[in-house]
Amino acid sequence: MKQIKDAPIGVFDSGVGGLTVAREIMRNLPYEKIVYFGDTARVPYGSKSKETIIRYSRQIVRFLKTQEVKAIVVACNTASALALETISKETDLPMIGVVEPGAKVAVETTRNKKIGLIGTRATVKSGLYQRVIQKEDPQIQVIGQPCPLFVPLVEEGWLKDEITLEVAKRYLDPLLAQDIDTLILGCTHYPLLRSLLKGLVGDQVTLVNPAYETALALGRMLEDKGILREGKEEEFPYRFFVSDEEEHFQQFANSILPYDVKTTEQIRIEEY
């Protein structure tokens, strides 16, 4: 069991967005080691079919298994919505996605039972957030709004730019018109826009960050299974892999993580 406790957690995403989940794991579970994979060659996932997302996710799980991980976090809303159910049945490793933890907190948060959801087209269209939320409380109305321009704007580093503000207004106005009191940031890139979005929705709307909720849920899952790592921090606890553009990935990682990423390795994910 000691060996299993010491094994790293596999975290994967379509690109750099899942680093917001890795960041919350680093902050909330400081003794855990992480192997992160960003599928930067095939980003974005939000516009691809369910079959394709499942195929990609299977390849990534196979790769993470070669790194001897003890659990896997699907740190991508699209893959959580479209592939998690399938891939979790195909492996004996404990696996967690970002949809359920965020959805459950949104249910606890809403007072008027009107929850807004922003995400990629695939996440919103999948209806998974709606299903999870309405299973907890059928009275709750979930109003989805795809925000496809947010990902490129975040990756460009335009987190407080006038253009991003204008785009965000256009996306959020229809949700605010429906009197939502809770807003789920249903894409791992979106927590980086948190302060801009908060400025637009005001104090009457609570933002739910599934990245943070997933880190807490992961801690509970590891504890339940007796594989939570305790004790000392390690010198090089985090390893990063991508399918393309390692330099761009590394720059972005270093701009948002509380940890200095010195190396990122590129691998040929199609071979897994």
Side-chain angles (χ1 to χ4, degrees):
M1 190 55 94
K2 173 90 171 70
Q3 265 176 321
I4 298 174
K5 279 187 177 183
D6 272 348
I9 292 157
V11 178
F12 80 85
D13 178 51
S14 57
V16 298
L19 289 167
T20 59
V21 179
R23 176 171 73 171
E24 296 297 346
I25 296 169
M26 290 172 181
R27 285 174 177 163
N28 293 284
L29 304 169
Y31 303 122
E32 293 296 345
K33 296 187 276 191
I34 295 171
V35 174
Y36 182 96
F37 176 77
D39 199 358
T40 43
R42 306 187 292 196
V43 68
Y45 280 12
S47 52
K48 294 184 172 66
S49 70
K50 181 172 180 169
E51 290 65 34
T52 300
I53 304 292
I54 290 173
R55 190 175 83 246
Y56 289 177
S57 300
R58 279 182 179 137
Q59 290 171 339
I60 297 165
V61 168
R62 282 185 211 120
F63 163 69
L64 290 172
K65 282 186 145 180
T66 68
Q67 302 300 304
E68 298 183 339
V69 299
K70 63 180 176 184
I72 292 177
V73 179
V74 183
C76 168
N77 280 270
T78 305
S80 293
L82 301 182
L84 178 64
E85 195 182 342
T86 304
I87 58 173
S88 59
K89 286 176 187 155
E90 299 170 350
T91 176
D92 48 0
L93 288 172
M95 204 176 277
I96 187 172
V98 285
V99 171
E100 285 212 7
K104 286 183 172 165
V105 169
V107 170
E108 291 159 16
T109 305
T110 184
R111 299 171 305 284
N112 71 0
K113 297 190 188 292
K114 287 184 180 179
I115 295 175
L117 164 69
I118 52 175
T120 65
R121 283 198 178 94
T123 298
V124 173
K125 196 173 143 210
S126 76
L128 182 60
Y129 271 102
Q130 286 88 331
R131 287 198 298 281
V132 175
I133 286 168
Q134 283 166 350
K135 201 165 118 188
E136 302 269 325
D137 183 345
Q139 311 273 265
I140 291 177
Q141 188 187 355
V142 181
I143 304 134
Q145 171 66 56
C147 303
L149 293 175
F150 277 169
V151 169
L153 289 166
V154 167
E155 295 203 1
E156 203 56 56
W158 296 4
L159 304 181
K160 296 190 164 82
D161 195 272
E162 282 300 314
I163 293 171
T164 311
L165 187 66
E166 201 45 55
V167 168
K169 266 189 202 148
R170 209 173 272 204
Y171 284 149
L172 293 179
D173 279 351
L175 294 177
L176 296 172
Q178 303 237 33
D179 196 31
I180 60 161
D181 72 352
T182 304
L183 180 64
I184 300 171
L185 309 182
C187 169
T188 49
H189 282 72
Y190 299 0
L192 299 169
L193 294 170
R194 192 188 170 91
S195 60
L196 178 132
L197 297 172
K198 190 66 197 159
L200 286 174
V201 300
D203 290 339
Q204 71 277 17
V205 178
T206 305
L207 299 184
V208 173
N209 176 3
Y212 171 71
E213 305 304 340
T214 300
L216 300 187
L218 171 67
R220 293 191 292 270
M221 182 178 86
L222 296 174
E223 200 160 3
D224 288 349
K225 296 194 177 298
I227 54 173
L228 186 69
R229 190 170 188 269
E230 299 126 358
K232 62 185 195 325
E233 294 181 27
E234 295 220 350
E235 199 180 350
F236 301 111
Y238 311 126
R239 287 179 293 143
F240 299 88
F241 297 87
V242 291
S243 47
D244 198 12
E245 292 199 306
E246 62 270 44
E247 211 171 290
H248 172 70
F249 174 88
Q250 203 161 309
Q251 280 172 348
F252 191 87
N254 280 323
S255 72
I256 70 161
L257 292 179
Y259 172 85
D260 191 19
V261 180
K262 298 235 177 2
T263 56
T264 302
E265 201 178 316
Q266 186 174 331
I267 58 158
R268 298 170 73 90
I269 193 66
E270 296 88 355
E271 292 173 3
Y272 288 88

